[in-house]
Amino acid sequence: MNHLARRISIWLCVFLACLGFVLTGSVFIPYLGIEADEALIANPIFGPVLHDFRLRIFHRDIPIMLMDYVGALKAWLYWPMFGTFKTSAESLRLPVLIIGAITIWLFYLLLDRIAGTRAALVGCFLLATDTMFLLTTEFDWGPVAIQHLMLVTACLLLFEFARKDRATYLLGGFFALGLGLWDKALFAWLIIGLCVAALVVFPKDLLRKLTVRNIGVALAGFVLGAGPLLVFNARHDWRTFRNNASFSAENITQKTEILKRAINGSGLFGFMVNDSSSVPPEVPERWLERASTSIADFARDPHQNFLLPALVLALAMAPLWGASRRAILFALVFMAATWIQMALTKNAGGGVHHAVLLWPFPEFVVAAALAEASGRWKRGGAMALGVVIAFLCVTNMLVTNQYLAGLIRYGPTVTWSDAIYPLSNSLAKETREVIVMDWDIYDPLLLLRRSGANIRAGYFEIMNDAPGEAEKTIGSMLASVPAVFITHTPESQFFPVINQKLENTAAALGYRKELLRAVSDGHGRRVFEVYQFVRE
């Protein structure tokens, strides 16, 4: 009975950690608008499926890719959901929060098998309260949610294969790796990192498993998971790898700083949340908002957690790693090998959503090292570990709260502006063609309006026109049918040159720009302009 009660209490703790993760993320949902990359899955569901990114099966278009390096796996998962529920911030973000919670649960199982229950509970709570893991998973613009899930799933299944030598575990592990690669080709960084870590830390075990049967099973699972990506590349001259496999060491310093900011939790200030010096603060109205801002004031606006010092402490405890030594070394080699690839890949690896792909291995190292060290201090070890982990989790949550308090007071940046919701509502009865002239508008509108019937990404057409062809494209936009144009306000535009070219060409053709309305965010700041062109 004591054993059963202990297991129930442990599973209750894991459940509460996962539930807390989902509930914390739910609080953030209404404060940020929908970003373009987050809404990319809307294209194959509500918009036209580009010829290169689809298969024609039984007279139906089946999307297999969203971009040449991003697969349609997430769109497949959301397809039935958006067929059942209204498209909204909630229906977009709650599923990935649940995926994150499942990842936390699987991470607990992985650590429990490798380093014991104490380390597993520590890692579970560290990951569940990690600010970067929460925000990058919930606002899945990376995308990273499925990447984390596939990484932890593959590690768990392959560890079980190493213990029990069952082909089903090997097949499932490599199927998960294949799915991760299809989801986003940058998952190759993680696969290579796992291979390097296995070769460095477990060379004899790895070579012993390299039988003809095992290689065949692993290859079958991987090809099954990555099949759509492989089919796309076989049809298009391996475009994914030709277009994205280039290397440069020029931005290593910047990428190192991004990695540091991802670890200490400060990496999304200024990207998601407006800088406090740029806008006046709003007065919180609801009790939750007042509580959040009061906690932020009491804690003196913390912008960093203590995960980095905890990692340094874990490394300093190397003599105490004991039975978890090889597992910790595996995690460290994996992180080093994976990050080196990020650092050297040209035009990638320079964002928080890249650095966070190393997760949950930072928590793995801290949890395994501290649990091993505490186990050597028999009387006070558990209590000391509890105090340290409580401190780390509380400081994690304070940083998470700081993001929420910043959103309450200063609102989101233009990229995540909540003005997208009133903009979409204002177009509900629009019968004219809607032409979007700036980035970060088309995909969110496609998602919220559930249709691409009368919406057009004009900025994208002009940007991809051959030299001298842009004027013809603009002329067709102005002359074909009466149209409504949408862009950001001049100070917030991502492509001001394209917007200026539109206005100059329109003026040369005898058209005058006429503002129909401006759309503001929840803090009263003008974000979007809706306008038309009329003949002079």
Side-chain angles (χ1 to χ4, degrees):
M1 288 298 294
N2 289 336
H3 177 71
L4 178 61
R6 180 173 181 271
R7 295 306 300 174
I8 291 174
S9 63
I10 289 171
W11 280 109
L12 180 61
C13 288
V14 176
F15 171 75
L16 291 175
C18 295
L19 180 63
F21 176 84
V22 174
L23 293 178
T24 302
S26 300
V27 174
F28 280 84
I29 289 177
Y31 291 99
L32 289 101
I34 297 172
E35 190 258 4
D37 294 320
E38 186 189 15
L40 195 60
I41 56 171
N43 278 278
I45 300 175
F46 302 118
V49 182
L50 298 180
H51 180 270
D52 286 358
F53 296 156
R54 72 189 185 201
L55 289 178
R56 189 75 176 171
I57 301 177
F58 300 120
H59 307 291
R60 293 182 64 87
D61 290 330
I62 307 299
I64 57 174
M65 302 294 292
L66 304 180
M67 302 171 67
D68 63 6
Y69 62 93
V70 179
L73 174 59
K74 187 178 175 183
W76 284 23
L77 296 177
Y78 274 81
W79 208 311
M81 184 173 309
F82 286 158
T84 305
F85 300 102
K86 176 184 176 182
T87 53
S88 63
E90 288 77 13
S91 61
L92 179 65
R93 289 165 180 162
L94 283 174
V96 284
L97 281 172
I98 293 171
I99 287 174
I102 294 171
T103 302
I104 294 168
W105 173 63
L106 293 176
F107 182 55
Y108 166 81
L109 295 178
L110 178 65
L111 261 172
D112 187 37
R113 282 157 172 75
I114 293 175
T117 302
R118 180 179 292 189
L121 284 173
V122 169
C124 175
F125 278 97
L126 286 178
L127 186 61
T129 58
D130 186 276
T131 306
M132 291 298 97
F133 181 73
L134 171 68
L135 296 181
T136 56
T137 297
E138 177 178 1
F139 304 101
D140 193 26
W141 77 97
V144 302
I146 294 175
Q147 305 269 289
H148 289 309
L149 178 62
M150 292 302 107
L151 174 63
V152 176
T153 300
C155 289
L156 179 60
L157 291 174
L158 293 176
F159 179 77
E160 288 297 314
F161 166 71
R163 289 174 59 205
K164 301 176 181 177
D165 199 30
R166 292 182 185 173
T168 49
Y169 289 125
L170 181 63
L171 182 72
F174 273 85
F175 177 69
L177 293 178
L179 283 179
L181 189 67
W182 174 33
D183 181 55
K184 191 172 183 179
L186 293 183
F187 195 78
W189 290 339
L190 311 186
I191 295 174
I192 294 171
L194 290 174
C195 292
V196 171
L199 187 60
V200 170
V201 182
F202 304 106
K204 293 180 180 178
D205 303 275
L206 181 63
L207 291 173
R208 192 162 47 246
K209 296 292 185 181
L210 288 179
T211 65
V212 173
R213 185 205 73 159
N214 288 344
I215 292 173
V217 170
L219 189 61
F222 184 78
V223 170
L224 186 62
L229 175 68
L230 298 176
V231 168
F232 166 75
N233 278 281
R235 295 174 64 193
H236 298 287
D237 196 25
W238 302 98
R239 186 195 302 177
T240 301
F241 307 97
R242 287 189 299 103
N243 291 355
N244 300 286
S246 56
F247 303 94
S248 171
E250 60 185 1
N251 293 319
I252 287 183
T253 302
Q254 176 189 345
K255 292 178 181 180
T256 303
E257 180 62 23
I258 290 294
L259 175 62
K260 176 185 173 183
R261 294 187 64 202
I263 293 173
N264 68 30
S266 65
L268 297 177
F269 287 111
F271 174 70
M272 277 190 168
V273 183
N274 261 314
D275 187 341
S276 60
S277 64
S278 62
V279 290
E282 289 281 322
V283 177
E285 297 179 355
R286 296 182 297 169
W287 72 267
L288 182 62
E289 294 178 340
R290 291 194 297 271
S292 174
T293 53
S294 296
I295 291 171
D297 290 339
F298 177 78
R300 299 188 178 182
D301 298 327
H303 281 60
Q304 297 182 23
N305 60 33
F306 286 84
L307 180 57
L308 187 55
L311 278 168
V312 174
L313 177 63
L315 294 176
M317 289 180 171
L320 305 178
W321 287 351
S324 297
R325 177 178 300 277
R326 290 213 295 172
I328 294 171
L329 286 174
F330 180 92
L332 292 171
V333 174
F334 165 80
M335 289 192 290
T338 303
W339 186 78
I340 287 171
Q341 294 174 80
M342 294 183 192
L344 296 179
T345 301
K346 191 174 183 178
N347 299 323
V352 168
H353 61 288
H354 295 125
V356 82
L357 291 176
L358 299 176
W359 273 237
F361 280 93
E363 286 79 8
F364 184 103
V365 171
V366 172
L370 295 187
E372 282 286 350
S374 69
R376 292 171 179 266
W377 184 13
K378 297 191 180 297
R379 290 188 177 180
M383 182 177 295
L385 178 64
V387 171
V388 171
I389 298 309
F391 173 77
L392 292 175
C393 289
V394 168
T395 52
N396 280 348
M397 291 187 287
L398 288 174
V399 174
T400 300
N401 178 73
Q402 188 63 35
Y403 280 95
L404 180 61
L407 289 169
I408 293 167
R409 284 171 165 161
Y410 309 109
T413 59
V414 171
T415 304
W416 297 92
S417 176
D418 59 350
I420 194 67
Y421 304 124
L423 175 65
S424 176
N425 293 336
S426 73
L427 297 171
K429 297 181 180 180
E430 184 61 68
T431 57
R432 293 171 290 179
E433 184 176 37
V434 176
I435 303 177
V436 175
M437 292 306 301
D438 205 18
W439 180 77
D440 202 29
I441 303 173
Y442 175 81
D443 297 289
L445 284 181
L446 187 64
L447 177 78
L448 292 170
R449 300 174 76 234
R450 301 177 62 91
S451 173
N454 68 327
I455 185 170
R456 179 175 173 184
Y459 77 96
F460 188 77
E461 297 175 27
I462 295 172
M463 187 168 57
N464 287 279
D465 276 335
E469 294 295 317
E471 288 75 13
K472 293 181 181 179
T473 301
I474 293 172
S476 70
M477 292 178 184
L478 296 169
S480 57
V481 292
V484 173
F485 292 79
I486 301 173
T487 190
H488 289 100
T489 53
E491 65 276 8
S492 302
Q493 288 173 5
F494 293 93
F495 297 118
V497 173
I498 290 178
N499 281 267
Q500 192 60 54
K501 181 178 288 187
L502 170 65
E503 294 184 24
N504 292 343
T505 304
L509 293 173
Y511 290 89
R512 172 174 53 84
K513 178 180 177 180
E514 183 179 86
L515 182 66
L516 298 176
R517 60 186 175 274
V519 181
S520 300
D521 66 8
H523 289 249
R525 297 180 292 255
R526 289 162 54 112
V527 178
F528 299 111
E529 290 183 347
V530 182
Y531 59 98
Q532 64 184 5
F533 287 98
V534 295
R535 282 280 187 184
E536 291 282 7

